[in-house]
Amino acid sequence: MSFKEAPISPGNARWRSWIVTGAAVLGVAITFKLGLWQLSRADEKLSLQAQIQAQSNQAPLRHAEALSNPLSWQQVHRPVELTGEWLSSHTVYLDNRNHQGQAGFWVMTPLRWAPGQVVWVQRGWVQRDLRDARQASPVFTPIEDVLVQGRIAPPLLLFVDSATT
């Protein structure tokens, strides 16, 4: 069985040329738009980094200001210095948090820094127990007052499926 190529007429070749040219122009235009999109994302990230840097250069939020101005807690990435006591019985271990290739937990403990005033503190990461995956390494928690230095983190968002509630 042999196949014969259809003869290419001058009109047919012209159409193919226009199609190839149109596809090339469309490809260049799409690539150009994607490049502009990436540059706008870079600008957004640089702007966010500048905002974070500006907040982190502020004076730390301390006891008196935190009590007198509750809105100061909305200044995400601002430094904080509070003295208080750990409420270790309410410590929470957030599971499935990898660190340098090892499975573990983030440790979250509330700190009572004034009567009726509590703030959650992310205290760090602990490795998962190698024998029992549900267990974490023990975390030392002092019982005396401690000075905590950190920064205000953005709030965690919780999405709840209304069909399951």
Side-chain angles (χ1 to χ4, degrees):
M1 180 190 292
S2 70
F3 294 99
K4 289 187 175 182
E5 277 190 40
I8 299 175
S9 66
N12 203 8
R14 210 172 293 136
W15 275 107
R16 284 185 181 177
S17 172
W18 280 109
I19 290 172
V20 169
T21 302
V25 168
L26 182 63
V28 168
I30 289 173
T31 302
F32 182 74
K33 283 294 254 181
L34 287 172
L36 291 177
W37 173 66
Q38 285 292 341
L39 288 173
S40 73
R41 288 187 65 218
D43 288 341
E44 288 174 14
K45 291 184 180 206
L46 288 171
S47 173
L48 177 61
Q49 182 59 39
Q51 291 171 3
I52 291 171
Q53 188 63 41
Q55 284 292 88
S56 65
N57 289 337
Q58 288 190 27
L61 177 64
R62 292 192 173 95
H63 187 91
E65 183 183 355
L67 279 175
S68 66
N69 184 9
L71 294 178
S72 59
W73 287 103
Q74 295 177 1
Q75 298 176 24
V76 177
H77 302 294
R78 181 177 177 182
V80 178
E81 286 184 6
L82 295 173
T83 301
E85 66 174 313
W86 294 117
L87 303 177
S88 60
S89 63
H90 299 287
T91 296
V92 174
Y93 294 85
L94 300 177
D95 197 3
N96 291 331
R97 306 298 180 196
N98 290 329
H99 179 67
Q100 297 179 350
Q102 295 182 339
F105 303 87
W106 281 348
V107 179
M108 306 282 293
T109 305
L111 177 80
R112 182 180 310 138
W113 56 275
Q117 301 295 317
V118 177
V119 64
W120 278 101
V121 178
Q122 180 182 334
R123 296 179 57 201
W125 178 90
V126 294
Q127 184 175 358
R128 194 185 281 261
D129 186 296
L130 298 176
R131 286 170 266 132
D132 184 359
R134 295 170 295 164
Q135 298 295 318
S137 302
V139 176
F140 172 72
T141 304
I143 55 175
E144 66 274 354
D145 281 1
V146 293
L147 171 65
V148 174
Q149 297 175 318
R151 66 178 176 87
I152 300 172
L156 295 175
L157 300 177
L158 177 63
F159 296 100
V160 178
D161 184 2
S162 60
T164 60
T165 56

